Amino acid sequence: MPRNDGNKDKNEDLKKMELTLQNIRKNEEFLAENAGELTPHQLKDVKAHLASKEKYLAETEGTIK
């Protein structure tokens, strides 16, 4: 009978957080490369959304680990 891994959820959450941070970095690079194609208002909205995700992850990181 296999043992239950009590840290499975925690490890999955950490992997999701790392993947989300990587995606945020990729999105920021993409925005920097394609900034001319978006309006300033769109850039502001997207950057604010990415910043709020990053802030949430930074606050959550200490509680998961």
Side-chain angles (χ1 to χ4, degrees), residues 17 50-64:
M17 286 176 61
L50 292 176
S52 69
K53 275 188 178 181
E54 200 166 10
K55 180 182 175 190
Y56 172 77
L57 289 175
E59 292 172 353
T60 308
E61 188 175 5
T63 60
I64 291 178

Side-chain angles (χ1 to χ4, degrees), residues 13-52:
D13 287 345
L14 291 173
K15 287 179 186 176
K16 287 178 188 177
M17 286 176 61
E18 184 61 34
L19 181 62
T20 303
L21 285 173
Q22 289 174 359
N23 287 339
I24 289 172
R25 300 288 178 251
K26 287 180 185 177
N27 287 339
E28 288 173 345
E29 291 173 12
F30 180 79
L31 281 176
E33 294 172 0
N34 299 305
E37 298 178 15
L38 299 172
T39 65
H41 184 68
Q42 289 172 324
L43 281 173
K44 179 184 169 192
D45 288 345
V46 172
K47 286 182 181 181
H49 182 71
L50 292 176
S52 69

